[in-house]
Amino acid sequence: MAKFNRKVSRVRRHTRIRTRVQGTESRPRLCVFRSLTNVYAQVIDDTKGQTLAAASSLDAEIKSVADGKKKVDVSKLVGTLVAKRAKRKRRHHGRF
């Protein structure tokens, strides 16, 4: 029996989900990756193959505020920041 591998399991799960989920210009896809130490979020338009907005716990805006906070609270800050960036981009370009 094959040894359990987290990375392989994650890739398989990602592939299975991506067959059903497609981000469009009017309704982009939100991709979240959580490592043991950091959180990364992206808003993606799959039709163009572009990342529209991104944020992570490594951003300067979050790092300065995140000292001493729990992972859940830092994740909320990342979500707020990626939403703010996506809204700003949508405002400037009409659509995303």
Side-chain angles (χ1 to χ4, degrees):
M1 187 167 171
K3 187 177 177 185
F4 178 74
N5 188 334
R6 276 196 169 93
K7 188 172 183 178
V8 171
S9 297
R10 187 186 77 79
V11 170
R12 282 184 185 158
R13 190 168 49 248
H14 177 78
T15 306
R16 186 174 58 241
I17 290 170
R18 291 283 287 114
T19 59
R20 288 180 254 149
V21 178
Q22 289 290 319
T24 61
E25 188 175 8
S26 61
R27 187 175 176 178
R29 171 172 60 97
L30 175 66
C31 177
V32 178
F33 177 76
R34 180 182 59 93
S35 71
L36 290 176
T37 54
N38 297 302
V39 177
Y40 308 87
Q42 297 177 323
V43 177
I44 303 168
D45 175 7
D46 290 315
T47 56
K48 292 182 181 176
Q50 285 185 329
T51 299
L52 306 171
S56 76
S57 54
L58 298 174
D59 284 346
E61 296 176 44
I62 293 178
K63 233 179 179 175
S64 61
V65 181
D67 287 338
K69 291 197 177 194
K70 295 181 181 178
K71 285 187 205 178
V72 173
D73 298 327
V74 174
S75 299
K76 288 177 185 176
L77 292 172
V78 171
T80 304
L81 182 61
V82 76
K84 184 172 76 173
R85 288 178 179 174
K87 281 183 176 181
R88 187 178 330 134
K89 183 143 187 168
R90 187 173 195 176
R91 222 177 309 131
H92 291 315
H93 298 289
R95 293 180 121 172
F96 277 100

